[in-house]
Every structure is written in C-alpha cells, then in structure tokens.
Amino acid sequence: MPDSTVPPTPPVPLSALLAREDLALRRIAGPDDPGTVVRWVHTSEMADPYPYLLGGELLLTAGVHIPEAAGSGTYFDDYVSRIVAAGGAALGFGVAPVHDTVPRALVAACERYGLPLLEVPPQTTFSGVARAVWQLMARARLSELRRVTEAQQSLASAASRPDPVPSVLRQLAQRLGGWAVLYGPEGAEIAGAGREPGGEARAALARLAEVVRPDRPAPPAGAASQAGSASRAHSTGPRPGESEAVPSRSALPAGPRSGEPAAARSRSAHRPGPASPAGPQPPTDPGRPAPASATDTVSGTHLAAYALGAGHGFVLGVAAPGRAPGDHTIVSVAAVLLSLLTGEQQSGTGAARSSALVRLLLGAAPEDVAPLLGDGRRWVVVHARPDGEGVPDAVAASALGAALGSALVDPAGDVVRVLVPADRAPDPLPGWTLGVSAAVAPEDWPAADTQAARALARARATRAPLLRYGPRPALADLVPPGEAAAHARSLLAPVTAHPALPETLRTWLSLHGSWDRTAVALSVHRNTVRQRIARCATLLEADLDDPDVRMELWFALRQI
C-alpha cells in the first residue's frame, strides 16, 4: 500500500529553496547533494524531536532547547543523530532572537552526520520558509498536471491517425524521453519508437514483459532447467509509489535488491527458492494471475512493462532515463489506448462494429446485425454514471467498457451506455453507479435501454452501487397486453401530454413516495417533485395517498 505519511504533493529540492533570494537561506554544513528534497516543514524546540518527525522534513529551530554547556558535551551529536535517524531532510537554525550565531558544535555535528544545516537570517520568519515550500510544491504540482494533460491530448490525437499504434508509441516515447515498444502475444517486438536502450536494458525489458504477460503458453521442454527454480510473481494489490489512477491491476512493490525486476523482488519475499540466472520468469500457476505491471532499473535505465487489457497477450514496454512525476499516468493512458487498438486488431471487432452500424443506418433490423457484434444471443444494457459531479470523458468511458467486457460504449452527457453480452454479468465497479437491464434479444434493445435508465435512477436514489431490472410474474400478467395498454392510455391520458409528469409519478411511486430520493433520481429539486405530483393528483382527480389508487397507477405506468 502507498505510505499514508507521504503527502500527495511533489517534494521540493532543497537547492530550489536555497535559490530563493527573499529567504536568504545559507547552507553552512552538510553535503551539497542536488538530490536532497524536502517534503514538508516542521518547527520544534524539543531537545529530542525524533517522536514528532515522519521523515523528509526541513526541521526549523531557534535553539531555545540548547543548554548553556551544550558545546562541551555530546548534546549536539545526540540531537543531530536523532534527526538523521528520523529521516529529517535538513535542519534550519534561526540566528534570532535566542542566538546571534549558529553554535560551532552544531555545525560540526551536522558535518559528521551528513545533515544539511541552513542558517536562517533574522529577517526571515519560519512561517515564511514554510510558505515558500508550499508555493514551490504547488508550482511543481501544477506543472505536473499540465504535462499530464498535454500528454493525454497528444496520445488521444495519435490514436486517431491512420497508423494509430506506431503513432501512440512515438508520442509516448517523446513524452518520456526514452523508448516505447509493443510486444506481441509471442514476445516479439511488433513496433517501437524513440531512443533504443542498450542491449542489457533491452533484454531486461523483454524479460519484464514475460512477467506480466497473461495466459502465456507453457514453456518448451528444458526451459525450467535452464531458468532454475525461480519463484513465480503474482500480485492483485494496489501499486505503491505514485498516488495516480491506473487503468488495471497494479505494479508490484520494489524490494532491496537492484538489477532485478520489481515483480521478481517481491515474489522472493513470499516463496523461498534461489533466484533464476535467466532473469524473472512468468507466472505459470493458473490460480495466481500475473501482475498487470512491473518495474526495474538496469544500467541506470528505468524499465516498466504493462499488460494490455484486451486479454490477447500484448504488452507495452517503456525504457526511460528516469521516472518523473506524472510518468505513470501518461503511460497508463497510452496502455488504455493500445488495449483498445490491439483488441480490435486481434479480434477484428472494429470492422464488425462498423459493418453493423452501416447496416443499421441502412435499415437492417437489430436482430440481423447482432451476430456481427459477437456470439451472444441475449444482451443487457448498462447505464453508468460516475460518482460525483464530473462528466466522463472518452478515456473513462472506454475504461468502463473494458471493465464490463464490451467495446460497445456510448458516452452521452453524464451517463455512459454499454451494450454487454448477457453471459458477462456486470459487477459493481468502484467510482460508478450502474443500472442493468434484463437480458433481452436484439429486437428488444430499446426496451432494455429504458429498463437500464430506470434501474440507474433507482440505484442513485437508493445509493446502491448497482441495481438490476428484474421483473417477475405478477397479477398484471393475467390481463391481456392489449387490454392493459388500452386501460393505461385511458387512465393516464390527462398527464401524458406533459412528458415530465408520468416519469416523475413513476419514480415517486417506485420510491414509496419519498420526495428526497425522487429528487435525486430525477436530478431536480424536491419542491419540483412536490409540484409535479400535486399536478398529477389534480389532472387525474385522484387521491395519491390511497394505496388502491397508487396500485392502479403503478399498473398503468408499467404499460407505457
């Protein structure tokens, strides 16, 4: 799991803080390491600040805690060693109002323990230093978000070109400043772009791709003896490190040994056995799925491999000089796009869907074109709405379709509609509210669309993550359909001239007369619901508090 003590904001290089002329900070001891970063600022006058530090702090003190005879004993060594043990990034000492200069013994202790020591001049307040750190963090975060947004737009544009797969790889390699490669189901390099890494890193990336490849065929005879008795990698947990969204299963945590892929390092902690001289081996236990991503660093090159979600064995590999903030999100977007592109390339469903669409536009019946969309004879319609107030974009809608096992996705406003074969029963998905229709034949798709919309409205009103439309035989089935429809038209004629009234009445009755839940389901104010229900009562000349009246109206509303 990601460390909950690490803030989601990017760290600030200590050198950037020293470069602020308004602060006038000066390093007077400790290493001049450009890699030193500050994650937050903490002020303390405790003689032992260790219990109050989380690591990565710039600790600020005015020296109130320093005793008069501190220079002649081990006070400063004890003090600095405890800061270093807690993971403190640097120590800032204010020379006013308690001390005129930084104690020499403190300078010597910081030199011995390798802790950067900053002199904070009298005109610089500790709160000013903290504010400068937060400003630098906000600036870095804004720069990261801008970079990710621009990369998403360029990758989406590349996916719409005539040669989408090479275009996406070229754009990804350019954004990362490295190399991007697509491996086929058999492990061959199908396409690549960017600066190719050295032979060692390239071979390590190919091995890393085998670690994440799902459903890989059994290795040839003798392969096991060549590879040794390596343990198998597996992971279904969340990815440590970055706090960014990922489209599929997560990367495995990195372990202490360098030069070995993260997935391979993780597995050794779970199962004993010597490391394989041939590098990490793919998982072969059918009960343990392969990880969706894995990372490694070889010869100073950062490597990552991502199993594409189409399920056909394609893997995206990237090799870059380093790992900058936002890189994981950028690669994740590329992986989603390549999953869609390789899925269509492998199965030919893209051409089949285009053919089905053309036939529908030219007048063919749904039941005639359904075979082009798959082998399923029955389908369900899913209406999905993201939690919160956001409107799903094309990438989010595509990811939803992939999670539901269908590429037949229609993002329309704040609701995404997905046509799913009935044998792939949808399950609740984090971040989405789903309404699922009954399983129907293709000629009943329009009715299923209405069922899914009503199920979604009820799911939102009841705060359920998923609600299925499930009619069952009832007394209404005893009435011939023609007579039932005629009765419904006659009874509801006064309100059907106003389209909003029947739908409001139907929703209100289905939610047992709850004003608030009806308002949520219809996305209107509760007073609007009251006005519409009162209008229905007036037009129908009926007492809507009477359960017999409600039952008759519900029967009628189900027929329209």
Side-chain angles (χ1 to χ4, degrees):
M1 291 293 291
D3 189 350
S4 60
T5 63
V6 177
T9 50
V12 173
L14 184 61
S15 57
L17 198 61
L18 291 169
R20 291 279 296 252
E21 296 182 358
D22 57 324
L23 298 179
L25 302 177
R26 185 169 65 94
R27 182 184 8 248
I28 57 177
D32 184 8
D33 183 2
T36 303
V37 296
V38 174
R39 293 191 178 277
W40 34 37
V41 176
H42 180 64
T43 300
S44 174
E45 297 299 339
M46 304 292 294
D48 181 13
Y50 180 92
Y52 309 99
L53 300 181
L54 296 174
E57 294 94 347
L58 168 59
L59 179 63
L60 299 176
T61 179
V64 177
H65 57 89
I66 300 175
E68 292 184 4
S72 59
T74 63
Y75 180 85
F76 286 115
D77 278 1
D78 296 340
Y79 178 68
V80 173
S81 66
R82 293 289 281 172
I83 297 175
V84 173
L91 175 65
F93 193 93
V95 296
V98 181
H99 297 267
D100 294 333
T101 60
V102 180
R104 293 182 180 179
L106 178 60
V107 176
C110 288
E111 284 288 357
R112 279 193 296 272
Y113 287 93
L115 179 67
L117 175 62
L118 312 183
E119 181 186 77
V120 183
Q123 70 272 17
T124 301
T125 62
F126 287 176
S127 60
V129 176
R131 181 179 59 185
V133 171
W134 307 143
Q135 288 174 344
L136 290 170
M137 284 183 174
R139 192 177 304 162
R141 182 60 173 167
L142 180 61
S143 175
E144 175 187 335
L145 292 175
R146 183 181 296 114
R147 175 173 174 258
V148 169
T149 300
E150 292 174 352
Q152 289 175 333
Q153 294 172 347
S154 63
L155 287 169
S157 176
S160 65
R161 294 173 184 167
D163 54 342
V165 171
S167 296
V168 170
L169 293 175
R170 283 195 298 269
Q171 192 60 233
L172 178 61
Q174 179 181 342
R175 293 290 172 175
L176 300 181
W179 188 52
V181 59
L182 178 66
Y183 296 101
E186 302 303 324
E189 295 179 8
I190 295 179
R195 296 195 299 270
E196 296 186 10
E200 183 182 3
R202 188 165 183 163
L205 184 58
R207 293 195 299 270
L208 204 63
E210 293 302 309
V211 172
V212 303
R213 189 183 311 283
D215 301 326
R216 182 177 180 270
S225 61
Q226 284 184 332
S229 56
S231 306
R232 303 309 183 198
H234 68 282
S235 172
T236 55
R239 180 187 188 280
E242 291 177 300
S243 57
E244 297 168 348
V246 291
S248 59
R249 294 167 295 165
S250 316
L252 296 170
R257 290 177 288 171
S258 61
E260 185 182 8
R265 291 196 295 266
S266 174
R267 69 189 178 214
S268 61
H270 296 283
R271 301 180 62 187
S276 167
Q281 299 300 311
T284 56
D285 186 347
R288 293 180 174 179
S293 61
T295 61
D296 192 12
T297 301
V298 174
S299 302
T301 301
H302 179 79
L303 309 176
Y306 295 77
L308 300 187
H312 300 300
F314 290 90
V315 175
L316 170 63
V318 293
R323 188 177 181 87
D327 281 358
H328 179 69
T329 301
I330 294 172
V331 180
S332 297
V333 172
V336 171
L337 294 172
L338 290 171
S339 295
L340 298 174
L341 295 171
T342 54
E344 292 187 2
Q345 173 182 334
Q346 181 76 5
S347 63
T349 56
R353 288 199 302 271
S354 297
S355 178
L357 174 60
V358 171
R359 294 188 190 185
L360 283 174
L361 293 174
L362 295 179
E367 58 269 26
D368 294 334
V369 303
L372 295 172
L373 303 177
D375 297 332
R377 296 183 179 181
R378 297 182 68 80
W379 303 75
V380 295
V381 177
V382 178
H383 279 219
R385 182 164 177 169
D387 298 341
E389 301 298 327
V391 176
D393 55 19
V395 174
S398 297
L400 171 67
L404 294 175
S406 175
L408 303 173
V409 181
D410 174 30
D414 56 356
V415 174
V416 179
R417 300 188 299 175
V418 188
L419 189 60
V420 182
D423 58 351
R424 304 174 189 172
D427 293 321
L429 294 175
W432 293 89
T433 301
L434 306 180
V436 184
S437 74
V440 300
E443 58 267 23
D444 294 323
W445 283 345
D449 185 48
T450 302
Q451 294 173 1
R454 292 173 181 171
L456 175 62
R458 186 170 177 81
R460 293 187 63 241
T462 57
R463 294 179 173 85
L466 183 147
L467 193 66
R468 304 178 192 275
Y469 180 90
R472 61 180 181 179
L475 292 176
D477 298 325
L478 301 177
V479 181
E483 295 181 16
H487 173 73
R489 288 193 298 270
S490 174
L491 180 62
L492 299 174
V495 298
T496 51
H498 310 278
L501 295 184
E503 188 60 28
T504 301
L505 182 59
R506 183 201 317 277
T507 306
W508 183 72
L509 290 174
S510 73
L511 296 171
H512 312 291
S514 170
W515 307 107
D516 292 331
R517 290 194 292 171
T518 303
V520 171
L522 298 176
S523 299
V524 298
H525 195 274
R526 66 194 308 270
N527 289 340
T528 302
V529 176
R530 289 182 177 274
Q531 293 169 3
R532 291 179 181 176
I533 296 301
R535 180 65 173 161
C536 289
T538 301
L539 292 175
L540 295 172
E541 299 179 353
D543 179 10
L544 298 185
D545 291 329
D546 187 332
D548 290 333
V549 173
R550 290 192 180 192
M551 180 181 67
E552 186 177 9
L553 288 173
W554 180 250
F555 171 82
L557 287 165
R558 292 186 63 187
Q559 310 306 314
I560 63 172

